[in-house]
Each structure stands twice: as C-alpha cells, then as structure tokens.
Amino acid sequence: MMDSVSIFSDQICELGEGPSYDPGTDALFWFDIVNGKLLEKRLAGVLKVHDLGLMASAIAIIDDARQLIATEKGLYVRDVATGKLALHTPIEADNPLTRSNDSRVHPCGAFWTGTMGKDEGKGAGAIYWFFKGELRRLFADITVSNSICFSEDGAIAYYTDTATGLLMRVACDPATGLPVGEPKVFIDHRSSKGYVDGSVVDSEGVLWNAVWGGKAVKAYSPDGALLREIAMPVTQPSCPAFVGRKADRIAVTSAWKGKDEKQRALDPQAGMTFLLDLSVKGRLEPRVLIA
C-alpha cells in the first residue's frame, strides 16, 4: 500500500532545508538557504517569510524569546519578537566561499553544525561542535555536511559527507555530545539512487533520511536495515523533521536548485514542503545551551 504525502506549504524554495518544529508555537520553521529566507508556518496557520539578509540553514530554540540560527558567517541569536539578529559565535566568517548547512541539537544541548563550499567545492567544509559558548571543529575536509542527528540517549551521533555516499555513525559522550570513538559506516548508499541528505532519529532509534535525487524518504533500523521507503512527489527531498506536539508526524523540505526550466516543468512541486501521512514515534528537539 502506498504511503500518501500531502502539501504542508506550497511556497516554492530554491533550496528548502533545515526544518525544525517549535512545540511552544506549534510552528515549523525552515529555510530557503540560497535566498536568505526563514519560513514559519503553524500547523494550522498561515505562512510567514522572514528576510534574513544572509544565507542561513538551521535553527534551534534557546528559550521562548530567542532562537539560534546557523548562517554563512556563524551562529546568530534571533529575537523571536523583533526578528533582530545578533552574532554570537563566528564560524568561518572570514571565508566568503563557505556557508552553513546541516545542523542539529544533541540531547545535552550541544549543537553540531556543518559547513560547505557555496560551490560545493571538494573538502571545503567541516562539522563543528558548539556548547555553552565553546566551539570545536570535529571533522574537516567535508564537501557537503548532512544527516547530523542523534539517538535519544545521546550516545550515538550520525552524519554524512553527502559526496561520499556514506552515512556515518560515531559513539558520543551523552553529557557533552562530543565523539568518544572513531566513526564507522552505518549505511553505504553508493550503489543506490540519489544522495544521503538530512536525517532525524525517532524515539525507537529509527533513522529517517531524505534522499536527494532519489525521490524518497528512507527509514533505517538502529542496526542499519532498511525498514521502509516512502515515495516523494519531488526529485529532491532535502530534510525531515518531526512535527506536532506529540512529534508524531514528519515534515519534509525540498528544492529545485540545479534544475533548468525543462527539468522544473517535470518536477512542478520541487521546493514545496510536505507532510508524510503516517504516524511515527518522533521526538521534540532539545533546546540549545549557548552559555
């Protein structure tokens, strides 16, 4: 039986990415990265589009009044009421060739955030760990940082360099979110259609991955077995997020980036944001600790 997928927002994003749900406002936030826009829509509300003035790709909740946003210049604190941005921690701010990409909050409140070349240059990016004002580089020579997500207990982290086709798994210190072992291959996607893009892990340890170019969302068990594959109505789904106050639904962003007019005509919903019409045992995102 086919899983059904519905449209959550028909707003077309060139590069829709970084979805994150705020249970306090019952709203999903996501980005059109290359056009510097933050989008906000309550599950039963109207769309708001915020112009940020710079490329940004990920958002986390600090408290009811503030959000942390990963941008091409580093981590900014956003005032929810006014939308004002204040630079908190520069990351590669002196390098105009890179920007932020995939990021996520570890259960302890640490923030893993990735960078990449704006032209997807080989090895131009990295993955960083940020916690209570401290910043460390975890992994260098990353071409396209993606799939950053964590097990519920914080003992496992996942990430990928999309260019490699390998989804990695590494043991973590649950108290700090820092790696404590060497990364190992969790999924080898090189012989499969499409590329490993954004991922989230539910409360049962199932990893849900958006397959860029593969027109699908795939679900993997904690031991790496493919549990199910959900067909998407777009070629380039980019990142999933659990939504709803029970975190029991999945929203998925998408993109038309890289397509010419003929390709876009064949993929008319590319750039929209979708809801998977299935019930999941998801998790709400932890709050990020900036100090």
Side-chain angles (χ1 to χ4, degrees):
M1 187 174 72
M2 289 284 290
D3 294 294
S4 60
V5 179
S6 58
I7 295 172
F8 175 70
S9 171
D10 62 4
Q11 176 85 3
I12 299 288
C13 295
E14 182 175 354
L15 184 53
E17 268 283 11
S20 187
Y21 172 76
D22 178 5
T25 58
D26 197 31
L28 182 71
F29 290 84
W30 71 102
F31 296 85
D32 186 350
I33 295 178
V34 293
N35 292 302
K37 297 184 186 299
L38 171 65
L39 298 94
E40 173 188 358
K41 185 177 185 292
R42 295 192 177 194
L43 298 198
V46 298
L47 177 72
K48 298 179 182 178
V49 180
H50 310 277
D51 287 311
L52 299 175
L54 76 172
M55 291 189 188
S57 62
I59 189 167
I61 300 169
I62 301 170
D63 51 39
D64 290 346
R66 298 176 298 164
Q67 300 160 322
L68 189 70
I69 293 182
T71 81
E72 62 183 304
K73 295 181 180 179
L75 304 178
Y76 279 75
V77 173
R78 179 177 184 265
D79 183 283
V80 173
T82 66
K84 182 179 179 180
L85 297 175
L87 181 62
H88 185 277
T89 301
I91 300 177
E92 300 180 12
D94 58 349
N95 185 351
L97 302 180
T98 61
R99 64 166 175 83
S100 62
N101 202 47
D102 195 67
S103 310
R104 195 167 300 281
V105 182
H106 182 272
C108 75
F111 192 58
W112 281 35
T113 183
T115 62
M116 60 177 285
K118 291 175 181 175
D119 64 354
E120 299 185 19
K122 182 174 175 60
I127 294 175
Y128 296 86
W129 169 93
F130 169 79
F131 191 40
K132 299 180 180 179
E134 182 181 354
L135 182 73
R136 299 185 193 179
R137 188 172 67 180
L138 299 179
F139 306 107
D141 302 317
I142 300 287
T143 301
V144 181
S145 56
N146 260 318
S147 268
I148 295 171
C149 54
F150 308 96
S151 61
E152 187 170 31
D153 64 4
I156 301 169
Y158 301 90
Y159 72 93
T160 191
D161 179 347
T162 293
T164 67
L166 301 174
L167 178 55
M168 307 302 291
R169 167 181 169 140
V170 63
C172 279
D173 179 352
T176 65
L178 284 168
V180 294
E182 290 299 314
K184 297 179 180 179
V185 175
F186 176 62
I187 300 294
D188 186 339
H189 202 264
R190 290 175 294 183
S191 62
S192 300
K193 183 179 180 181
Y195 301 91
V196 176
D197 207 324
S199 296
V200 286
V201 178
D202 68 20
S203 62
E204 297 180 317
V206 175
L207 183 144
W208 299 81
N209 171 248
V211 187
W212 178 279
K215 206 172 184 179
V217 171
K218 293 182 178 180
Y220 297 96
S221 70
D223 62 3
L226 180 63
L227 299 175
R228 66 192 303 175
E229 182 171 342
I230 298 147
M232 295 294 294
V234 289
T235 305
Q236 296 176 167
S238 53
C239 193
F242 300 118
V243 299
R245 289 196 167 96
K246 295 182 179 179
D248 56 358
R249 304 286 299 283
I250 296 178
V252 183
T253 50
S254 71
W256 64 262
K257 188 176 186 294
K259 292 180 176 289
D260 59 28
E261 289 186 12
K262 289 183 179 179
Q263 291 170 325
R264 289 187 67 187
L266 295 172
D267 199 5
Q269 294 180 320
M272 294 184 187
T273 301
F274 301 90
L275 278 175
L276 306 187
D277 294 325
L278 67 155
S279 180
V280 296
K281 295 182 179 179
R283 296 153 47 203
L284 298 174
E285 289 290 323
R287 294 193 172 195
V288 63
L289 299 180
I290 65 170

